[in-house]
Amino acid sequence: MKPQLLKVTTGPTHSFSVRQDQSPNINNRWHFHPEVELIQFHKGTGTQFVGDNIMRFGPGDVVLVGANLPHYWRYDEQELPDDQLAQPYATVIHFTKDFWGTHFLTLPETKPIKQVLDKAQRGLLLTGLDSESISSKIESVYKSTGPYQLIALMDCLVSIAQAKEAVLLSSLGFECNFADVENERINAIYDFTFKQFKQKIRLDDVASVAGLSSNSFCRYFKSRTGKTYSQFLTEIRVGHACRQLIDNRMSIQQICYESGFQNATCFFEKFKVVTGKSPLSYQRSHRNRP
């Protein structure tokens, strides 16, 4: 997977970009750009890749991605109720670190903003009360105009700097190698896995996709993602099962096999490792949500 360099455009009357995405998987590829990205998810679930971090995302999550940090949001395929079809999937803000001038971040008053942008080089995830508070500020950025839009963005970043439970995503030692062969491998592995995870995947098969021997592939994948391929595949399958449990259109046994697990015992064991709950407890907890 070669991380694709994307050009983020701004109009002549704007110094940074803010938009709402009306469809999922607009940038359905691992990519990077010199702009910092602040994204708020409104609907849909999926798998997010930020540097060497791989995890699930869902409505309400807010993520701040630093300049040139590769990332990728892969939405699940799903049918949405009619009342959700017109709602945007995400609000996305892009800005360069120096769009407000080269000396702005050296001011003593802007130290919190500089610190949070430095942390964003590893990616920052906000959930719960932090994301609720910051989500309303992101909405203000989207709806404001002129100097008020700039003030709203600064307010967002200061609030993120003050967040109590912001989670750093990518590992401290992550370094992105933009060599073509290297990155095409990662992209090919991800693409193959998302297409085949419902089937039994042999290690030799996925290794051949990467053009490596089985042993070399295992070392390679762990060094690039911080996880074994087996862990990664399990998380993809469990994530798919979670969505099916919430949809409640199949029995738990059907979901087990439809998600790529070979037997119920393995499914229950792996599901609890990833989510901390049994499939039934997970399903019940989502039924009780308003």
Side-chain angles (χ1 to χ4, degrees):
M1 174 183 193
K2 180 181 179 179
Q4 184 180 11
L5 173 60
L6 294 186
K7 183 172 177 58
V8 178
T9 58
T10 56
T13 59
H14 294 87
S15 57
F16 65 94
S17 166
V18 55
R19 70 171 195 265
Q20 287 192 332
D21 291 340
Q22 298 296 325
S23 60
N25 296 324
I26 289 179
N27 294 318
N28 193 18
R29 191 169 175 82
W30 203 44
H31 66 276
F32 68 99
H33 37 69
E35 292 81 9
V36 178
E37 179 171 320
L38 177 58
I39 182 168
Q40 172 197 3
F41 297 99
H42 301 298
K43 67 178 181 183
T45 57
T47 303
Q48 76 177 23
F49 303 76
V50 177
D52 59 359
N53 177 269
I54 305 169
M55 64 184 295
R56 298 286 295 171
F57 72 86
D61 288 355
V62 173
V63 182
L64 183 66
V65 180
N68 295 314
L69 177 62
H71 54 283
Y72 172 26
W73 324 110
R74 175 108 183 194
Y75 281 87
D76 298 323
E77 295 180 5
Q78 57 186 316
E79 296 179 8
L80 294 172
D82 290 341
D83 61 349
Q84 288 192 31
L85 292 178
Q87 299 175 10
Y89 278 82
T91 299
V92 187
I93 301 171
H94 290 109
F95 59 94
T96 59
K97 290 182 69 172
D98 61 354
F99 83 96
W100 29 41
T102 55
H103 299 295
F104 180 76
L105 292 180
T106 65
L107 300 174
E109 292 85 358
T110 60
K111 184 177 180 180
I113 296 177
K114 183 181 185 305
Q115 289 176 333
V116 80
L117 292 180
D118 289 342
K119 288 182 179 180
Q121 289 304 129
R122 290 175 58 189
L124 280 174
L125 168 67
L126 300 110
T127 59
L129 294 177
D130 286 333
S131 69
E132 288 180 18
S133 170
I134 292 161
S135 292
S136 65
K137 297 178 187 298
I138 292 175
E139 185 178 4
S140 296
V141 178
Y142 181 72
K143 291 182 176 179
S144 300
T145 58
Y148 301 104
Q149 191 173 56
L150 180 58
I151 293 169
L153 176 59
M154 292 174 60
D155 191 24
C156 264
L157 296 175
V158 171
S159 296
I160 294 173
Q162 295 172 343
K164 302 296 184 184
E165 300 181 7
V167 177
L168 288 165
L169 295 176
S170 190
S171 66
L172 184 61
F174 173 74
E175 292 182 7
C176 185
N177 183 345
F178 295 111
D180 289 354
V181 173
E182 187 88 3
N183 294 309
E184 285 296 342
R185 277 180 178 163
I186 293 292
N187 213 353
I189 293 165
Y190 289 166
D191 191 52
F192 174 84
T193 305
F194 276 109
K195 288 178 179 177
Q196 302 294 329
F197 74 87
K198 295 182 182 181
Q199 315 299 324
K200 183 175 181 179
I201 296 179
R202 295 172 61 248
L203 183 59
D204 287 346
D205 292 336
V206 67
S208 67
V209 169
L212 298 168
S213 68
S214 296
N215 288 338
S216 295
F217 170 79
C218 291
R219 291 192 298 270
Y220 169 81
F221 192 84
K222 181 68 178 292
S223 70
R224 295 299 180 273
T225 68
K227 300 181 181 184
T228 65
Y229 182 74
S230 178
Q231 288 174 312
F232 169 62
L233 179 58
T234 295
E235 290 177 6
I236 298 300
R237 287 172 170 166
V238 169
H240 178 77
C242 287
R243 184 168 58 83
Q244 298 301 322
L245 288 165
I246 295 171
D247 289 346
N248 196 25
R249 296 180 183 180
M250 292 184 284
S251 69
I252 291 179
Q253 186 175 15
Q254 287 175 311
I255 292 171
C256 162
Y257 295 107
E258 205 271 344
S259 300
F261 292 94
Q262 300 301 303
N263 60 73
T265 301
C266 177
F267 173 55
F268 277 74
E269 177 186 330
K270 300 296 186 182
F271 192 95
K272 190 160 189 178
V273 168
V274 174
T275 68
K277 298 179 180 180
S278 70
L280 184 58
S281 296
Y282 181 90
Q283 187 178 57
R284 285 174 174 169
S285 68
H286 282 267
R287 282 180 184 171
N288 294 332
R289 290 185 179 182

